[in-house]
Amino acid sequence: MHLKLIAGAAAAVSLMSSIAFAQSSTVNGAAGGAITGAIVGGPAGAAIGGVAGAVVGTAIDPPPQKVVTYVREAPAPSTRVVVKEKVVVGQPLPETVVVTPIPDDPTYAYAIVNDERVIVEPSSRKVIQVIK
């Protein structure tokens, strides 16, 4: 009995780590966590795993160093862009902010807002990182 429990827990942990790293959204993270939790702990484990998976699914991978360097060194626009909203990682930039794609890596773009350089996801305009 103990051997089955240990083997099941080990399998679930290995599944959880691969599911957590493979998923890129909250919904997928929650689903993966719920499945893994159900394997380990039944219905209660599914509920706990779903919440944990949702948290993991909202994590944003940092951009590669070459993207950060490019954004740091990119020339500032001639017109200063100021918005009332605070620039927050995970939140989209307002539509009034011009987002410039990164030439060597189109999966990222950047903007300079309120004198802060930010890296964003072009399709959603979600802020990935604020460069200090």
Side-chain angles (χ1 to χ4, degrees):
M1 177 65 182
H2 291 291
L3 184 59
K4 284 184 180 180
L5 183 59
I6 292 171
V13 167
S14 67
L15 283 173
M16 183 181 290
S17 64
S18 64
I19 288 171
F21 290 117
Q23 306 307 326
S24 61
S25 71
T26 304
V27 173
N28 289 338
I35 291 168
T36 305
I39 292 170
V40 175
I48 294 167
V51 171
V55 170
V56 170
T58 60
I60 300 172
D61 291 332
Q65 188 57 44
K66 70 178 187 171
V67 171
V68 174
T69 302
Y70 180 87
V71 172
R72 259 196 200 113
E73 296 173 357
S78 57
T79 307
R80 188 170 179 248
V81 178
V82 178
V83 295
K84 291 179 183 179
E85 299 88 2
K86 182 175 169 68
V87 176
V88 178
V89 172
Q91 296 299 314
L93 290 176
E95 292 295 325
T96 56
V97 176
V98 175
V99 173
T100 306
I102 305 287
D104 292 340
D105 196 340
T107 57
Y108 298 99
Y110 75 98
I112 301 175
V113 185
N114 299 344
D115 295 324
E116 292 183 309
R117 293 174 182 261
V118 295
I119 300 173
V120 300
E121 179 182 78
S123 60
S124 67
R125 304 174 61 87
K126 186 182 345 180
V127 175
I128 297 172
Q129 184 174 352
V130 178
I131 307 294
K132 300 290 181 183

